[in-house]
Amino acid sequence: VLWNQHHISSDGWSAGLFTRELSELYSTISSGVASALAPLTIQYADFSCWQRDWLDGLGKAEQIAYWKQRLEGAPASLALSTDRPRPPVQSFRGGAESVALPADLSRALIALGQQETATTYITLLGALNVLLYLHTGQTDIVVGSPTAGRTQGQTEHLIGFFLNTLALRVKVNPAASFRDLLGDVRTEVLGAFAHQEVPYEHITEALQVERNLSRPPLYQVMFNHQRASEERLAFGDLQLAPITARGTTSKFDLTLYSTESPGQIGLRLVYNADLFESATIAAMLARFLVLLEAIATN
């Protein structure tokens, strides 16, 4: 089963809804039973009207003020060493390297987050900031991270594009402990999610970010953490299993995807193939594992 949906009408959350509903419809129709799908209480147009009203109200102004305060003076770019000069226009050619963390390391990192009142997402984001500091020497780092954008309960069962992106700014203090950094990252993440309704493009407009065709504005590194679904879907006797597409594009210099399942963490580092060789990224991922082992140990 293969389908393609444009991001203008769908997002990752929607893909899961689509698959589950398709599986349920297949099962009921093939069995001669009427569909049990509950009717939708709202349509995407309703959400669009709500969002437009919100953007015309006071909520947008308050959230824009927060983001201007958080991102004022942030570095325009991250000084990562690259294998090749950055081309004048970004091509979005990409590659990827993957690794599964050992089970004991995965459990240790998950436990560390729980001890520090931090999610695994916050723990890995903190570690990523340390890795970027070690590679660039920069202590002021901005990393992008997607959010589902479904802050209203009625949107949880609706297919559509709700995704928004948050710019998370963390200042790494080389003299501090990783536990101290975790506290700073947690504060940053909680503040960002409390102000997640304003669309990313409105923030870049308000900040009057200088555009450059060679790189994305505000941040060039993205972090995307997801929990692996334990749900096993089927079309009758046919069992479904996800596959990773062979072709890879890269919207950013680096995108770290982490997938958390019970007692296990998997990492996939997507990179801009105009800038990096695959061996460079494999070495970076290997160093990240060494860093994670050190964090888990002490």
Side-chain angles (χ1 to χ4, degrees), residues 273-295:
D274 287 337
L275 302 179
F276 301 103
E277 298 283 357
S278 60
T280 300
I281 299 304
M284 182 182 293
L285 204 50
R287 285 193 290 273
F288 192 41
L289 259 65
V290 173
L291 175 62
L292 292 173
E293 288 168 353
I295 288 170

Side-chain angles (χ1 to χ4, degrees), residues 11 44 81 95 126 192 250 271:
D11 53 21
Y44 190 82
S81 296
S250 180
Y271 60 92

Side-chain angles (χ1 to χ4, degrees), residues 54 56 62 68 84 98 145 180 183 205 231 235 237 240 251:
W54 183 87
D56 291 338
E62 186 272 331
K68 290 181 72 173
R84 289 180 289 274
S98 301
S145 189
D180 292 334
E205 290 172 6
E231 185 178 11
F235 290 168
D237 294 333
L240 271 65
K251 298 178 183 178

Side-chain angles (χ1 to χ4, degrees), residues 17 40-44 46-47 50 150-159 162:
L17 289 175
L40 294 173
T41 58
I42 64 168
Q43 297 290 334
Y44 190 82
D46 297 311
F47 166 77
W50 295 341
R150 297 171 186 261
T151 56
Q152 296 163 312
Q154 289 172 287
T155 63
E156 291 185 1
H157 304 288
L158 191 61
I159 290 177
F162 297 87

Side-chain angles (χ1 to χ4, degrees), residues 80-103:
L80 283 167
S81 296
T82 60
D83 296 311
R84 289 180 289 274
R86 185 182 296 273
V89 178
Q90 187 178 0
S91 75
F92 305 103
R93 281 197 320 118
E97 295 289 335
S98 301
V99 66
L101 271 60

Side-chain angles (χ1 to χ4, degrees), residues 224-243:
N224 189 343
H225 179 76
Q226 295 180 330
R227 287 183 176 273
S229 174
E230 297 182 49
E231 185 178 11
R232 292 294 177 263
L233 298 176
F235 290 168
D237 294 333
L238 301 176
Q239 298 298 313
L240 271 65
I243 60 172

Side-chain angles (χ1 to χ4, degrees), residues 33-296:
V33 181
S35 169
L37 291 180
L40 294 173
T41 58
I42 64 168
Q43 297 290 334
Y44 190 82
D46 297 311
F47 166 77
S48 298
C49 290
W50 295 341
Q51 186 182 55
R52 183 177 58 191
D53 291 343
W54 183 87
L55 290 172
D56 291 338
L58 297 177
K60 175 185 174 182
E62 186 272 331
Q63 292 204 11
I64 285 289
Y66 168 84
W67 288 110
K68 290 181 72 173
Q69 183 272 327
R70 285 300 306 143
L71 298 173
E72 200 71 47
S77 62
L78 194 62
L80 283 167
S81 296
T82 60
D83 296 311
R84 289 180 289 274
R86 185 182 296 273
V89 178
Q90 187 178 0
S91 75
F92 305 103
R93 281 197 320 118
E97 295 289 335
S98 301
V99 66
L101 271 60
D104 56 346
L105 176 57
S106 298
R107 288 192 294 267
L109 291 170
I110 294 170
L112 173 62
Q114 294 171 344
Q115 293 166 12
E116 298 301 313
T117 322
T119 60
T120 307
Y121 164 76
I122 291 174
T123 304
L124 293 175
L125 176 60
L128 175 60
N129 274 274
V130 174
L131 181 73
L132 295 175
Y133 157 71
L134 293 172
H135 273 268
T136 65
Q138 291 177 240
T139 57
D140 193 353
I141 297 171
V142 182
V143 172
S145 189
T147 175
R150 297 171 186 261
T151 56
Q152 296 163 312
Q154 289 172 287
T155 63
E156 291 185 1
H157 304 288
L158 191 61
I159 290 177
F161 182 79
F162 297 87
L163 186 74
N164 195 16
T165 308
L166 306 178
L168 304 173
R169 185 180 186 182
V170 172
K171 294 188 177 181
V172 179
N173 179 0
S177 69
F178 185 74
R179 292 180 187 273
D180 292 334
L181 178 65
L182 267 188
D184 294 340
V185 174
R186 181 176 60 242
T187 299
E188 176 69 14
V189 168
L190 292 177
F193 274 82
H195 299 85
Q196 65 173 289
E197 282 85 3
V198 60
Y200 168 74
E201 59 269 22
H202 288 242
I203 296 173
T204 56
E205 290 172 6
L207 291 171
Q208 297 181 333
V209 176
E210 182 180 350
R211 298 295 179 145
N212 188 320
L213 293 177
S214 69
R215 63 173 183 260
L218 281 183
Y219 51 82
Q220 292 81 51
V221 175
M222 175 73 81
F223 175 58
N224 189 343
H225 179 76
Q226 295 180 330
R227 287 183 176 273
S229 174
E230 297 182 49
E231 185 178 11
R232 292 294 177 263
L233 298 176
F235 290 168
D237 294 333
L238 301 176
Q239 298 298 313
L240 271 65
I243 60 172
T244 301
R246 292 182 180 180
T248 302
T249 59
S250 180
K251 298 178 183 178
F252 303 93
D253 291 0
L254 297 172
T255 302
L256 178 65
Y257 293 92
S258 59
T259 304
E260 179 184 356
S261 55
Q264 184 71 59
I265 297 173
L267 302 177
R268 184 169 186 256
L269 189 55
V270 175
Y271 60 92
N272 182 335
D274 287 337
L275 302 179
F276 301 103
E277 298 283 357
S278 60
T280 300
I281 299 304
M284 182 182 293
L285 204 50
R287 285 193 290 273
F288 192 41
L289 259 65
V290 173
L291 175 62
L292 292 173
E293 288 168 353
I295 288 170

